[in-house]
Amino acid sequence: MRKFFLGLFLAFPLALVAQQKVAIVNTQEIMSTLPDVKAAEAKLQDLAKKYDADIKTMQTELQNKAESLQKEKDTLPEAIRTRKMQEIEDIQTRIQQSYQAMQEDMNKQQQAALAPIQQKVQAAIQKVGTANGITYILEHGAMLFVGQDAIDLTSKVKDALGIKATATATPSTKK
């Protein structure tokens, strides 16, 4: 009798797991096909070009001052030569600080641009998961193995977001 209850107790969790549905979704594929993401990337690229132009301007200024100092260093009085060397160091410091500030701003801009899109995708995943009675949805790229019986919801999430299917989409196994 005791073995019977022990066997029943051990089999009960297995029965619960068997009833749960697990699916996968490829959010990278979804995000890459969203027009909102492409627009955000274009905006970020424009900002990056502006930042690059600013850095190049500062680098040109640095190069010009360094060349000028190199040409005149033997004829300049010590005080002027020291002042010009300090100007060059200041420009180098300014370039480094500007570069760091620009990188931080680019990261903030990227996060700000993608956050609402990611929320939109997450909401669609939850909606499709609920509609299909899915217990767990896992990221496709994080899986070490995906069996033939796996439920791939990527195309259904795309449909929920209004993304038209493309010929290059990866075929899903079971829907």
Side-chain angles (χ1 to χ4, degrees):
M1 184 69 127
R2 194 171 168 180
K3 288 182 181 179
F4 173 75
F5 285 120
L6 181 61
L8 186 62
F9 180 72
L10 291 174
F12 183 69
L14 295 176
L16 288 177
V17 171
Q19 294 173 358
Q20 297 177 348
K21 288 172 111 180
V22 178
I24 58 171
V25 68
N26 189 339
T27 56
Q28 185 176 8
E29 179 183 329
I30 293 167
M31 293 286 286
S32 69
T33 57
L34 279 172
D36 297 350
V37 172
K38 292 176 184 175
E41 287 175 350
K43 182 180 173 184
L44 290 169
Q45 286 177 353
D46 289 343
L47 183 60
K49 286 178 186 177
K50 290 176 185 176
Y51 283 156
D52 284 343
D54 289 346
I55 293 288
K56 286 181 183 179
T57 299
M58 287 187 273
Q59 288 173 335
T60 302
E61 179 186 2
L62 174 67
Q63 184 177 0
N64 291 340
K65 288 199 182 246
E67 288 173 359
S68 174
L69 177 62
Q70 186 64 32
K71 289 177 186 175
E72 301 173 342
K73 76 177 182 178
D74 295 332
T75 61
L76 290 175
E78 183 65 29
I80 295 175
R81 184 174 42 227
T82 303
R83 183 177 49 83
K84 287 192 176 216
M85 288 174 65
Q86 184 61 45
E87 286 178 15
I88 291 171
E89 289 176 18
D90 291 345
I91 293 171
Q92 288 173 331
T93 302
R94 195 173 79 220
I95 289 172
Q96 290 172 350
Q97 290 172 344
S98 294
Y99 182 77
Q100 288 174 349
M102 291 173 187
Q103 289 289 80
E104 289 173 10
D105 187 51
M106 285 292 296
N107 288 337
K108 287 179 186 175
Q109 294 287 338
Q110 182 178 23
Q111 289 173 359
L114 293 180
I117 300 168
Q118 290 169 336
Q119 290 172 351
K120 179 177 165 182
V121 170
Q122 182 64 32
I125 290 170
Q126 290 174 350
K127 178 181 172 185
V128 170
T130 302
N132 288 281
I134 305 296
T135 306
Y136 299 104
I137 299 177
L138 305 170
E139 175 60 44
H140 182 270
M143 303 301 298
L144 296 175
F145 172 75
V146 178
Q148 292 179 341
D149 294 335
I151 301 169
D152 188 348
L153 297 178
T154 304
S155 62
K156 289 184 180 185
V157 173
K158 283 182 174 182
D159 291 344
L161 290 168
I163 301 170
K164 293 186 181 2
T166 60
T168 59
T170 56
S172 58
T173 52
K174 181 179 176 185
K175 294 183 184 172

